[in-house]
Amino acid sequence: MTQGDVTDLTAAGTLDWVKWGNGEADGVVFTTVEKTGGTIINSALTEIDPTAAGAPSVILATFNPATSILGFSWTDGTAAMAGGNPVDNVVTQTMTPAQFSYPIGIGQSFTAAATAESRVLDVYVQGFNSDMQLTAALSGGASQSITVSPTINPVGDAPNFFSFGRFRIIYSGAGETLTVSTMTINDGSRVGDQSSFANAGMFAATVAPASAVPLQINPGLNDAWYNPVTNGQGFLIAVFPDSKTMFLAWFTFDTDRPPGNVSAFLGDPGHRWLTAQGPYDGDTANLTIFVTEGGVFDAAEPPVTVPMKVQ
């Protein structure tokens, strides 16, 4: 996503949506707006507070940035947009009593109901002056996390580092509950103003049927895949989100069977080893396919890899 993007929650959250914060000034009092009649997302946010008893405590607060990071609009909420315009509040953490340096490991979480049918939950998040860990965990035990580093210096707030975007979760599980959390972690590379007030916040969340949302290329595709109709051949896929690059190995056969008198010492004479690599964006990858040829098993001389034209 790009700084300043506006998301229509009504269009994106056909099953349910929640917007945390609705135009309030910075502070611990904020409004939670929900889709009218929505029941999937439990909009209550729970603080993640690693501090010891008696130490300064983590509390949730809303911040209304001078320069919009992400904006949100809607037409079917339990309250109208404040001022009738897209809302850009983020709900994140602060400390009481007030502190300059926040402990690493603070955050927040919420839950959503799961069913046997797949749903897509999009969570719009912001990290501030720390790496941010995003985790989705089903009550049945399945869990996945990613880490996002803040690399954006928004106009009007140059001393600080932000990360922001959409955390997309495709989930299912009859009778299970999905818990989504943001939490600060730090690799130690940010110091001074770039490390103070580290927090991990949420703007909004939407839920839609999986069938209504196009599949986006993501690391969840990292594995070996095949079509049962053509058992015995398939792909090994590796997605690298940091560089927006995709690699695959294509295990397949020649388009025609070699003559019956052709034999091989290792494998089948019709085997073909192809690889492909290139950039991806959204649901589309533009990959150059390479064919590796001229090699001999365990030979010191490397084989030749050349681009291949597919017609």
Side-chain angles (χ1 to χ4, degrees):
M1 303 185 73
T2 303
Q3 183 181 346
D5 281 355
V6 175
T7 298
D8 183 345
L9 298 177
T10 298
T14 55
L15 294 179
D16 201 4
W17 61 261
V18 171
K19 173 68 185 80
W20 292 288
N22 188 18
E24 298 87 0
D26 296 354
V28 297
V29 177
F30 60 89
T31 301
T32 297
V33 184
E34 303 177 59
K35 179 182 180 71
T36 301
T39 60
I40 296 172
I41 300 173
N42 181 344
S43 62
L45 293 173
T46 301
E47 302 94 336
I48 298 174
D49 185 353
T51 59
S57 299
V58 175
I59 57 175
L60 299 179
T62 184
F63 290 90
N64 197 332
T67 302
S68 179
I69 304 298
L70 295 176
F72 300 87
S73 63
W74 61 87
T75 57
D76 62 343
T78 52
M81 292 180 291
N85 297 310
V87 177
D88 56 9
N89 291 63
V90 62
V91 171
T92 185
Q93 302 84 44
T94 188
M95 303 292 294
T96 181
Q99 305 288 308
F100 179 80
S101 180
Y102 290 6
I104 294 299
I106 66 176
Q108 59 196 337
S109 67
F110 71 95
T111 62
T115 67
E117 295 182 356
S118 293
R119 291 169 170 168
V120 174
L121 175 68
D122 285 343
V123 187
Y124 299 86
V125 297
Q126 174 187 293
F128 182 77
N129 283 351
S130 79
D131 292 348
M132 175 172 57
Q133 181 174 280
L134 307 169
T135 301
L138 281 166
S139 54
S143 178
Q144 187 170 2
S145 298
I146 64 170
T147 299
V148 180
S149 295
T151 57
I152 305 300
N153 301 108
V155 175
D157 204 351
N160 294 306
F161 276 36
F162 287 75
S163 60
F164 59 87
R166 179 183 62 195
F167 181 32
R168 172 161 286 178
I169 306 142
I170 302 175
Y171 72 105
S172 63
E176 295 190 53
T177 299
L178 178 72
T179 299
V180 180
S181 63
T182 62
M183 185 174 69
T184 60
I185 59 176
N186 207 324
D187 63 6
S189 65
R190 278 164 289 282
V191 297
D193 287 345
Q194 296 175 7
S195 63
S196 60
F197 308 112
N199 56 69
M202 298 180 180
F203 294 95
T206 63
V207 180
S211 59
V213 179
L215 175 66
Q216 303 292 298
I217 296 173
N218 66 86
L221 297 173
N222 292 353
D223 211 329
W225 300 88
Y226 78 102
N227 183 346
V229 177
T230 55
N231 193 3
Q233 52 190 312
F235 300 93
L236 179 68
I237 297 175
V239 176
F240 303 96
D242 290 343
S243 60
K244 301 291 284 184
T245 301
M246 183 176 182
F247 169 86
L248 66 83
W250 185 0
F251 307 108
T252 187
F253 297 88
D254 203 345
T255 54
D256 291 313
R257 289 294 303 164
N261 61 351
V262 175
S263 61
F265 291 105
L266 181 64
D268 184 275
H271 279 164
R272 293 296 177 265
W273 175 19
L274 307 175
T275 56
Q277 184 170 328
Y280 73 87
D281 183 43
D283 61 357
T284 302
N286 293 301
L287 309 181
T288 300
I289 300 177
F290 298 91
V291 58
T292 302
E293 56 189 20
V296 177
F297 174 73
D298 205 27
E301 185 71 22
V304 177
T305 302
V306 296
M308 177 183 177
K309 181 179 291 187
V310 178
Q311 297 180 338

